[in-house]
Amino acid sequence: MNGPSPHLAWSELACHDGTPYPREWRESRALALAAMFEAIRDRVGKPIRILSAYRTPAHNRRVGGARHSQHVEGRALDLHPPQGWTVTRLADVVREIPAVVGLGIYPTFVHVDCRPGRRVVWRGGRVDADKGE
Ligand SMILES: [Zn+2]
């Protein structure tokens, strides 16, 4: 299979430094990540571009990512609002989806993750999608 779910390819989950999504997580946390993404994709009803997914620890340091970034854990996605949508509209839809545990609202993208534990929501500043939590 070319990805963990119908609308998600492994290439979209790879680190921007070229490192593929880790094999040891492909049957575990990637499936939770994909289920979260498909739930979002389903509610939105159109394609969503993924700006950042898995990051190696080295790449995360290089881009100034948060020290305990969920991207390094393979549990996070930064999503670009679909055509014609604002960040606020996307965040409002995403907020209703129980699989989304971490929700970060940034000026140009929405960060979602499926970390263990309870819901956390934050508003971020003007950072590139490859940075931050
Ligand atoms: Zn993020």
Side-chain angles (χ1 to χ4, degrees):
M1 206 149 83
N2 108 82
S5 67
H7 298 103
L8 196 56
W10 293 118
S11 59
E12 292 176 281
L13 295 182
C15 182
H16 288 173
D17 72 2
T19 307
Y21 189 90
R23 297 222 163 262
E24 65 268 32
W25 295 340
R26 289 191 176 201
E27 300 297 329
S28 51
R29 57 184 76 181
L31 301 181
L33 187 67
M36 175 182 73
F37 179 75
E38 293 294 340
I40 296 168
R41 174 70 177 69
D42 188 58
R43 292 290 295 270
V44 166
K46 42 172 129 178
I48 301 170
R49 188 154 58 92
I50 295 170
L51 300 172
S52 178
Y54 172 64
R55 291 181 209 144
T56 61
H59 184 71
N60 189 57
R61 274 194 300 277
R62 229 164 15 241
V63 300
R67 185 186 288 252
H68 300 290
S69 173
Q70 291 298 311
H71 290 277
V72 174
E73 299 296 324
R75 293 188 169 116
L77 301 171
D78 291 342
L79 305 175
H80 193 264
Q83 193 79 30
W85 284 46
T86 61
V87 158
T88 305
R89 183 174 175 192
L90 178 59
D92 286 347
V93 167
V94 160
R95 200 189 287 274
E96 300 302 317
I97 298 170
V100 175
V101 184
L103 169 57
I105 304 160
Y106 292 83
T108 56
F109 66 93
V110 173
H111 164 107
V112 292
D113 68 63
C114 49
R115 69 183 70 191
R118 52 178 87 168
R119 169 70 62 93
V120 275
V121 179
W122 68 91
R123 219 163 248 286
R126 189 163 292 280
V127 296
D128 296 338
D130 206 31
K131 301 181 180 175
E133 288 79 9

